Amino acid sequence: MTKGWVRAYSEENSMVNSSEPYQKRQLRAKFRKKFRTELKSNSSETASVLRTLKWGDEVELPNQLENTKWTRVKFKSQQGFVLSKHLVEIAYVRKTGTSNSGLVKSMKTAKNKNKKLLWGDLVQISKRGRSICEVRVRGTHGKMSTKDLVSEPLLEVYFVDVTQGDGVLVCTPDKRHLLIDGGLERTKQLTGKNAADFIDWKFFMDYGAFEIDLDSMMASHSDNDHYGGLHDLVRSDSPMSDRELDSLKVNIKTFHHPGLSRWRNNTSANPKHSQGLGAATSEGFIQLLGDRSDAEGAVSKDSVEKLSGPWKSFINDVLNNSVSTKVERITLDRNVLSSGRNLPNLWKTKHGCEIKILGPVSFVDGKGRETLPDFGKKSFNTNGHSICLRIDYGDSKILLTGDLNSESMDWISNCYGDRIGAWECDVAKACHHGGNDISYKFLEKIKAAATIISSGDAEGHAHPRPEIVGASATTGFKNIDRHKDKLITPLIYMTEIERSVTLGAVNRIDFEGLPIGSNTLDGVILGRELDEFNDKAHLSPEQFWKHKAIKDKNEANRFLRKAVREQKKILTPIEKEGKKGNIKVNFNLTKPNGPLSPENTIKSAWRSRVMEKNHYGLVNVRTDGDTIMCATLDETEHKWVAHSFPARF
């Protein structure tokens, strides 16, 4: 049966009046939270009220969204009628044919521009027509051809560009959400963005929700470039006070972790702590973080055994975010493999999608304790004991590997033995951002048709290494269209390559109300010489917006010519003083110096450029279980570049 959501975008738009973007989004969030509509016993204003529905409630639409004042709906066990303007019908962009061009469709926006959409994009229908539907997609309203819409969802995996680190969002066909890692926290990011921002956009703008709902938030391991972005979602100062996030709340059903944690060294412990990773024996690490009760004890000031550093702060904020969030450790007992038992499921969804647990692989030591082996260096251990998952849907398999290294790959190969084929897949997230501490033999077992490398700029690690890019290709599954003389697979994606920025030259810096003693000062500073300006660059902010609002072309040109003459009289003396060196304006910049060591520098505002926009290096992977699509947005943001290939399992 067709699904729908309670939404009232038309009323929201009429109620939200603000020119400031952040305030406008916050007003939307508050409107959505307060909104209520009624489920009536029949299609009449005077009918009895069966129950009250709120924004975001999912309903069934027996007759789809109806082109009448009222639409018949079913909510849980009750059937009734809801105002059609308070509903949207859920649909998805349809794939046509077998070529890559059939993976991209168009929507005509309210401004009569074509917006390119991908196969599987969520579409909210606000008015259904025989040939054309009024829709909302990716936060934009417009119109689409009815024939381009279907009701069947896909498995979606988003590899989010977080520069150094990992960030992966899994959305199953039954709309369960798993967020794995988030990159460094925002304050340490070159772009100022991480997975927290993408998740916020996904729920607030794409879904039109006012809260983020995660079935699982997972830290693949306890390195900051993986859990830092997750921390930005649950910090004790909350997203509501964070101007970067629009959603009012983050709901997390379960927090998953690999067990191996950062502990405060305790020299009296027996057996002793090792590398700050907890108590260990000659066989390996035995102090593994467990469930919520265990985590609460590990962050308590009264506990003998405490977590340490930023990891402790993160776990504490996860717990404080909600008392209802479960905490679960993910490990795979080596006995499961040796006994021939099935790999355990993290999830098994209604649509036949399964998420299998592949690692980290633990064993039971001589005293009956769950143990993780010691791989040597501290970084080898934290990385090597990453959570590893395989997502199965239809004939497709997608592998998520954390930061595995050669030591852990050898351990995994020994434990799996002749079952190592479980790691073979269609799509693989590359281990450790394309670092070269990788087993080539292990990559040969993975045999991925597409490999996604999450790598970053200016982080000091030179990822991805060229030999690993080459190894990912030479060990990948080869599929060639001999008739067209085209390579279908293997495909190698790098978030660093897909990312780009739009830079703008500084023309002028306008300021108002600058306090100078008991007075204030208004003024302007130039960023380059006037003969480099185009006409619009001369305009003050007030003149700029006035000119932009004029619809008549001739009137706009007259306004522009007059404003430029006025501004040249003001700017020419400022330019002369600047050339003499009498005006000096400097920026104090924080720039990255390695992944965790930012440094400050001074740069003149003269001839500076600013980042006008950051284009995410997002890699979309979607599948219906038969065909797999990998897609990225080109640097102009006008079109998607999509490739598809058949699932092979």
Side-chain angles (χ1 to χ4, degrees):
M1 186 176 288
T2 303
K3 301 287 186 182
W5 284 336
V6 174
R7 295 284 194 269
Y9 293 120
S10 59
E11 292 186 19
E12 176 188 270
N13 291 335
S14 64
M15 292 291 291
V16 175
N17 294 309
S18 175
S19 59
E20 207 284 311
Y22 172 74
Q23 290 181 357
K24 196 168 187 175
R25 294 193 297 270
Q26 287 297 291
L27 289 171
R28 289 189 186 280
K30 292 175 182 178
F31 175 85
R32 294 171 186 180
K33 183 178 181 179
K34 292 180 180 179
F35 179 82
R36 298 292 185 271
T37 191
E38 295 173 337
L39 178 65
K40 298 274 193 174
S41 58
N42 59 60
S43 55
S44 168
E45 295 283 0
T46 59
S48 60
V49 178
L50 300 177
R51 68 190 304 158
T52 300
L53 303 180
K54 61 183 184 299
W55 187 288
D57 281 340
E58 183 176 282
V59 298
E60 294 182 348
L61 306 175
N63 303 319
Q64 299 180 321
L65 184 66
E66 300 178 52
N67 288 327
T68 55
K69 185 176 181 180
W70 299 87
T71 290
R72 182 184 294 275
V73 305
K74 180 179 180 182
F75 181 73
K76 297 182 178 178
S77 60
Q78 290 182 302
Q79 289 203 44
F81 293 83
V82 173
L83 287 170
S84 297
K85 66 179 181 179
H86 291 169
L87 297 167
V88 294
E89 178 186 334
I90 301 303
Y92 302 90
V93 175
R94 175 173 173 256
K95 173 174 70 73
T96 55
T98 57
S99 68
N100 291 331
S101 61
L103 301 171
V104 181
K105 302 296 179 184
S106 291
M107 175 184 75
K108 188 72 72 175
T109 69
K111 294 183 178 180
N112 206 35
K113 293 183 178 180
N114 282 324
K115 186 178 182 69
K116 298 301 182 183
L117 306 175
L118 277 176
W119 174 41
D121 271 345
L122 173 74
V123 178
Q124 299 179 51
I125 302 172
S126 56
K127 187 175 182 181
R128 175 176 277 278
R130 287 188 178 181
S131 59
I132 299 293
C133 289
E134 294 181 13
V135 300
R136 182 182 186 274
V137 189
R138 294 177 174 264
T140 302
H141 294 272
K143 295 181 179 181
M144 283 189 70
S145 172
T146 305
K147 67 181 181 180
D148 287 336
L149 302 175
V150 293
S151 59
E152 295 81 19
L154 304 178
L155 167 66
E156 305 169 53
V157 183
Y158 298 91
F159 295 89
V160 184
D161 173 24
V162 296
T163 60
Q164 169 65 19
D166 276 357
V168 181
L169 175 66
V170 179
C171 179
T172 66
D174 64 346
K175 287 295 173 277
R176 297 179 74 182
H177 293 86
L178 163 62
L179 174 60
I180 309 170
D181 296 334
L184 289 165
E185 52 262 77
R186 188 184 294 112
T187 56
K188 297 177 181 176
Q189 292 282 6
L190 180 66
T191 61
K193 302 291 184 182
N194 57 28
D197 300 276
F198 177 77
I199 300 305
D200 184 55
W201 173 88
K202 187 68 178 172
F203 279 86
F204 188 82
M205 294 299 295
D206 193 9
Y207 295 164
F210 59 89
E211 294 182 351
I212 296 170
D213 289 300
L214 298 174
D215 294 271
S216 170
M217 185 174 79
M218 179 182 295
S220 67
H221 60 289
S222 61
D223 282 353
N224 191 240
D225 60 336
H226 289 256
Y227 72 81
L230 304 181
H231 201 173
D232 281 335
L233 288 172
V234 296
R235 288 188 183 279
S236 54
D237 54 1
S238 85
M240 285 186 288
S241 63
D242 185 341
R243 293 177 62 88
E244 294 287 340
L245 299 180
D246 301 315
S247 302
L248 298 178
K249 188 180 178 183
V250 181
N251 304 306
I252 303 165
K253 287 186 179 179
T254 307
F255 169 66
H256 289 105
H257 63 88
L260 194 67
S261 291
R262 306 299 179 108
W263 296 89
R264 183 177 297 178
N265 281 325
N266 186 340
T267 56
S268 64
N270 187 18
K272 69 177 181 179
H273 283 231
S274 178
Q275 303 176 345
L277 301 178
T281 68
S282 59
E283 295 182 85
F285 297 94
I286 59 172
Q287 189 173 358
L288 306 180
L289 191 65
D291 60 11
R292 184 179 180 99
S293 177
D294 192 25
E296 288 172 344
V299 297
S300 171
K301 63 180 181 180
D302 299 323
S303 177
V304 175
E305 296 290 343
K306 298 184 184 72
L307 295 175
S308 68
W311 177 252
K312 175 187 175 182
S313 176
F314 168 55
I315 297 298
N316 187 61
D317 284 342
V318 169
L319 298 172
N320 290 336
N321 183 66
S322 174
V323 295
S324 63
T325 298
K326 297 179 181 178
V327 177
E328 295 180 0
R329 176 171 71 231
I330 290 184
T331 50
L332 174 62
D333 188 342
R334 181 174 61 179
N335 289 331
V336 171
L337 300 171
S338 59
S339 65
R341 283 177 282 167
N342 292 332
L343 292 171
N345 280 318
L346 178 71
W347 290 347
K348 189 173 183 179
T349 73
K350 297 176 182 177
H351 287 67
C353 177
E354 298 182 6
I355 301 181
K356 301 286 188 181
I357 298 172
L358 273 63
V361 181
S362 63
F363 65 96
V364 178
D365 70 7
K367 293 186 177 181
R369 297 172 296 196
E370 184 177 12
T371 307
L372 291 172
D374 186 348
F375 295 138
K377 293 182 181 179
K378 185 175 183 177
S379 62
F380 291 179
N381 284 310
T382 56
N383 290 330
H385 291 304
S386 296
I387 293 174
C388 298
L389 304 174
R390 194 189 73 211
I391 310 170
D392 297 353
Y393 184 48
D395 294 333
S396 66
K397 295 184 187 298
I398 299 173
L399 183 66
L400 306 174
T401 61
D403 274 3
L404 293 185
N405 47 42
S406 57
E407 290 81 2
S408 58
M409 289 177 173
D410 289 344
W411 164 251
I412 289 169
S413 296
N414 290 333
C415 293
Y416 272 80
D418 58 8
R419 298 185 65 180
I420 195 62
W423 290 75
E424 194 172 358
C425 63
D426 294 297
V427 179
K429 187 203 75 67
C431 305
H432 205 190
H433 324 298
N436 60 3
D437 183 19
I438 296 296
S439 164
Y440 190 88
K441 290 186 294 185
F442 195 81
L443 292 186
E444 288 181 309
K445 301 298 182 183
I446 291 176
K447 206 174 183 180
T451 299
I452 318 296
I453 303 175
S454 181
S455 56
D457 290 320
E459 83 286 355
H461 293 306
H463 291 158
R465 299 297 174 90
E467 62 269 37
I468 299 306
V469 177
S472 299
T474 58
T475 60
F477 179 76
K478 188 167 67 173
N479 184 3
I480 300 173
D481 185 334
R482 295 293 181 182
H483 178 70
K484 296 182 179 180
D485 194 24
K486 299 289 185 183
L487 177 74
I488 299 174
T489 64
L491 303 172
I492 312 296
Y493 290 90
M494 285 166 270
T495 57
E496 184 174 352
I497 288 180
E498 301 302 334
R499 182 193 325 125
S500 65
V501 296
T502 298
L503 296 177
V506 175
N507 295 315
R508 53 186 287 166
I509 302 170
D510 292 86
F511 55 90
E512 296 180 16
L514 182 68
I516 304 293
S518 59
N519 300 314
T520 60
L521 181 67
D522 301 341
V524 59
I525 299 165
L526 296 184
R528 54 183 179 160
E529 295 180 16
L530 290 177
D531 61 8
E532 298 177 79
F533 281 30
N534 60 32
D535 283 347
K536 291 180 183 179
H538 289 82
L539 303 185
S540 70
E542 182 182 6
Q543 292 170 329
F544 179 87
W545 293 115
K546 281 185 178 179
H547 177 261
K548 197 173 183 68
I550 299 173
K551 302 300 181 183
D552 182 80
K553 186 176 181 180
N554 291 329
E555 184 183 350
N557 287 336
R558 286 194 295 271
F559 178 91
L560 180 61
R561 288 194 297 270
K562 181 180 178 182
V564 169
R565 288 195 299 269
E566 293 173 353
Q567 285 297 310
K568 280 186 175 180
K569 293 178 182 178
I570 298 171
L571 299 178
T572 300
I574 298 174
E575 180 187 40
K576 290 180 179 178
E577 291 300 310
K579 287 181 177 179
K580 293 177 183 177
N582 295 333
I583 301 176
K584 296 180 180 180
V585 177
N586 296 315
F587 295 137
N588 187 307
L589 305 175
T590 299
K591 65 177 185 178
N593 182 27
L596 300 174
S597 304
E599 67 175 23
N600 282 48
T601 187
I602 299 293
K603 182 175 176 60
S604 172
W606 184 256
R607 297 211 168 276
S608 286
R609 292 182 178 268
V610 298
M611 185 178 75
E612 191 276 328
K613 191 169 185 179
N614 174 50
H615 306 276
Y616 264 129
L618 181 74
V619 181
N620 290 262
V621 175
R622 298 179 184 174
T623 180
D624 58 1
D626 295 319
T627 301
I628 297 171
M629 175 191 73
C630 298
T632 57
L633 198 61
D634 77 352
E635 293 186 0
T636 62
E637 277 202 295
H638 293 310
K639 66 178 182 179
W640 289 97
V641 179
H643 295 86
S644 65
F645 53 90
R648 69 180 198 272
F649 297 96

